[in-house]
Amino acid sequence: MEHSQQKQVKKVSEAEALRKSEVVPQFSPIQSRIGGCFIPVSDLERSRSWYCLLLGIDEKQCPIYFDHMCVIPMQGADIMLDTMPRWGGEEPGGPPILRTPAFMLLTDDVEESFKHARSIGATLVTEIEQGQWFVLKDPDGNKLMVNRG
C-alpha cells in the first residue's frame, strides 16, 4: 500500500474511532453560540459601504474600531469586517479571502435578493440553485451564500 493510501486509511480509522467512542459530554466554558463572523477585507471603508448597501444598513450604525475592524450589526451573530493586520493583512495582496462561503445570509425572497445583489453590482458566482440559494462575491472576492430562510 502506498504512503498516501496508508494516511487516508489512518484518517478514516481515526474518524470511525471517534464516532464509535463513548465520549461523555463534559462542561465547557466555551458557549455553543457564535458572537461574530470575521470577513477579511483589504479596504475597510469600501467594504463597509458595500455590505451596508447589500444589507440595507445605515453606515452610521457600523463604526470602525482600532483602525482595522468594522462591526455590521445583524440579527444573531454580527459580521466583523477586518483588515486582519495580525493575520496577513499587511502582506502584499492583503489577508486571505474566503474562497468558500463560511456562513449564509438569510432571505424570505431569494429571487428579489438575487435581483438586489445584481443591482448593486455584486459579482454573482451562481444563479439561484434549487430555488433556495445563490453565491456572490464581495469586492475582495470573499464568497457569501444567500439562502431562503
Side-chain angles (χ1 to χ4, degrees):
M1 187 179 299
E2 291 181 32
H3 181 69
S4 63
Q5 289 175 322
Q6 288 174 336
K7 283 178 77 173
Q8 185 66 25
V9 168
K10 185 177 179 183
K11 284 182 184 178
V12 170
S13 298
E14 289 172 359
E16 287 176 11
L18 283 174
R19 280 195 300 273
K20 290 178 182 177
S21 69
E22 303 235 355
V23 177
V24 177
Q26 300 288 323
F27 167 79
S28 174
I30 301 170
Q31 299 177 16
S32 60
R33 65 185 177 118
I34 297 173
C37 185
F38 284 90
I39 298 178
V41 299
S42 60
D43 182 326
L44 198 54
E45 297 278 342
R46 175 190 68 181
S47 295
R48 175 175 65 176
S49 295
W50 188 86
Y51 276 89
C52 286
L53 184 61
L54 177 72
L55 298 169
I57 297 173
D58 185 346
E59 285 188 45
K60 294 175 191 158
Q61 297 176 353
C62 306
I64 292 176
Y65 298 101
F66 316 114
D67 297 322
H68 68 87
M69 184 173 64
C70 175
V71 177
I72 307 291
M74 305 286 287
Q75 296 176 29
D78 292 335
I79 291 177
M80 320 289 278
L81 304 176
D82 197 332
T83 59
M84 305 281 182
R86 291 189 66 176
W87 314 113
E90 295 177 349
E91 296 174 12
I97 63 168
L98 301 174
R99 296 186 189 283
T100 60
F103 60 91
M104 64 182 175
L105 299 168
L106 298 177
T107 182
D108 291 327
D109 190 333
V110 73
E111 292 84 9
E112 282 302 311
S113 296
F114 188 83
K115 288 177 191 174
H116 174 66
R118 179 180 284 145
S119 77
I120 67 166
T123 301
L124 298 165
V125 177
T126 68
E127 294 294 320
I128 297 172
E129 301 291 331
Q130 301 164 351
Q132 290 292 116
W133 59 273
F134 65 94
V135 173
L136 63 139
K137 289 183 185 178
D138 74 4
D140 283 288
N142 294 299
K143 290 182 181 169
L144 311 170
M145 180 180 283
V146 177
N147 194 79
R148 189 181 308 274

